[in-house]
Amino acid sequence: MNSETLIDTTVGLVLSGGGVKGMAHIGLLKALEHRGIYPNQISGVSAGALVGGLYADGASIEEMLIFFKETPLLKYNFVTLNKPGLFDTDKYLPFFEDFFTAHRFEELDKRLVVVATNLMKGEPVYFEKGALFGPLLASAALPPVFSPVSIDGQLFADGGIMNNFPVEPLVGACDIIIGCYASSMKEVGKGQVKSAFQISQRANLLMLHANSMDKLYIPDLLIVPEELGNIKVLDKKGIDKAFILGYDHANWKLDEWLH
C-alpha cells in the first residue's frame, strides 16, 4: 500500500467521540494531508462529527483548531434552569452559523454522516441530509452536561450513547476505511471519582467504550493514541496536546501502513 494507490479510491473516515480528545482527529487529517490523502466520506459522532463537519465544509487544519479554541465549552451564561442539562446547547448555534459556510448537508464538499441518539425512541439516528447544525449540536450534546436538541419534535443527545464508533455508514461505500478512536481511557484511582459530576463523566466514558470495542477491527487502518487518556474530556487546555498526539501517532501508523 502506498499513498499513490489511494488517490483514485474512495477513502472513508470514521471519527469517534471523545470531547477535547477528539482534537486528535485533526492531527490525523493533517498527517493524511501531508501524504496527499483526502477522505471522500466521513462518519462522525460527537467531537468526531464536529471535526468531520468542519473538514467536509472545507476548513483548513488551522481553522478547525481555531473553531474549537474560540467556541466556549462551559460558559457560565450558557447555564440553563429550564432544560434538562447544565448548559443550553442551543446557545452554541451562533458559533456554527458564523464559522460554517454550509448550512445543509447537501452544501458540503464531501459526504458527511452524523450520528445522534434519539432519547425518546432510544435509538441512534444517522443524519446526512437536510439542516446541518441541529444534528451536529445534538451529536455532541453529552448528558448531563449539555441539554438535548429538539429536531422534528424529537429530543436528541450525544450519538456516542448508542454508537461511539459509527463505521456502519461507510461499510460497502468506501474502498478504504480509516478510523480514529479518541475515547481512550485509563484506570483511575478512587480519589478521582469523588463528585457526582466525576462519576457521571466516568460512567459516560465506560458507556462510550463499551459500544465501540467490537467494531474497532473493521477499518483498514485504526488510529488509537493511547496517551489521550491523560486529557480530560472537557478541558480546553488539552486541545493542542490532543492534536499533537493524534498527529504523531497517525504519522507513525501511516508510515507503517503505507510502507
Side-chain angles (χ1 to χ4, degrees):
M1 178 70 68
N2 58 65
S3 56
E4 285 76 17
T5 63
L6 297 180
I7 293 175
D8 295 319
T9 60
T10 302
V11 178
L13 193 62
V14 53
L15 304 176
S16 76
V20 170
K21 300 177 188 181
M23 301 307 97
H25 300 325
I26 306 178
L28 167 59
L29 287 170
K30 182 176 181 180
L32 290 171
E33 188 178 274
H34 283 176
R35 291 161 176 80
I37 300 171
Y38 300 94
N40 317 88
Q41 303 187 24
I42 308 101
S43 180
V45 60
S46 198
L50 300 182
V51 172
L54 290 165
Y55 180 65
D57 194 44
S60 67
I61 299 300
E62 292 73 21
E63 287 169 339
M64 292 183 213
L65 289 171
I66 289 171
F67 173 82
F68 287 102
K69 288 179 179 179
E70 293 187 354
T71 301
L73 271 179
L74 307 179
K75 196 172 182 181
Y76 72 92
N77 59 340
F78 285 7
V79 171
T80 177
L81 299 176
N82 303 316
K83 295 183 178 182
L86 298 176
F87 295 88
D88 186 349
T89 305
D90 291 335
K91 294 282 184 70
Y92 292 86
L93 184 59
F95 296 94
F96 286 71
E97 292 174 336
D98 289 344
F99 209 90
F100 278 78
T101 301
H103 284 219
R104 298 180 63 81
F105 281 89
E106 293 85 352
E107 297 168 358
L108 295 169
D109 297 331
K110 303 171 184 290
R111 180 194 179 205
L112 174 69
V113 181
V114 171
V115 187
T117 298
N118 186 320
L119 291 175
M120 300 167 75
K121 294 184 178 180
E123 61 186 24
V125 177
Y126 300 85
F127 294 91
E128 57 177 313
K129 295 180 181 178
L132 177 63
F133 300 149
L136 284 177
L137 285 167
S139 185
L142 179 67
V145 181
F146 301 105
S147 65
V149 175
S150 179
I151 302 175
D152 297 329
Q154 300 286 308
L155 289 178
F156 290 87
D158 194 324
I161 296 169
M162 302 294 291
N163 189 349
N164 194 45
F165 195 71
V167 68
E168 294 89 344
L170 304 181
V171 175
C174 301
D175 301 310
I176 295 289
I177 298 176
I178 298 172
C180 188
Y181 185 68
S183 294
S184 61
M185 66 174 190
K186 63 178 182 177
E187 185 175 337
V188 298
K190 189 167 62 175
Q192 292 175 272
V193 284
K194 294 182 292 186
S195 69
F197 181 73
Q198 288 171 334
I199 292 172
S200 173
Q201 291 299 99
R202 182 64 177 176
N204 275 324
L205 180 57
L206 295 174
M207 171 190 64
L208 300 180
H209 206 54
N211 70 42
S212 305
M213 289 300 92
D214 291 341
K215 296 183 291 182
L216 295 181
Y217 72 91
I218 296 176
D220 300 279
L221 175 66
L222 180 67
I223 308 297
V224 187
E226 297 294 343
E227 300 88 346
L228 291 174
N230 297 315
I231 297 174
K232 295 180 181 178
V233 172
L234 297 175
D235 184 5
K236 289 184 69 174
K237 294 177 182 177
I239 288 177
D240 286 325
K241 182 177 180 181
F243 166 70
I244 292 169
L245 285 172
Y247 177 64
D248 289 344
H249 191 76
N251 276 323
W252 169 60
K253 293 291 288 186
L254 282 165
D255 284 344
E256 183 180 66
W257 185 58
L258 292 171
H259 300 93

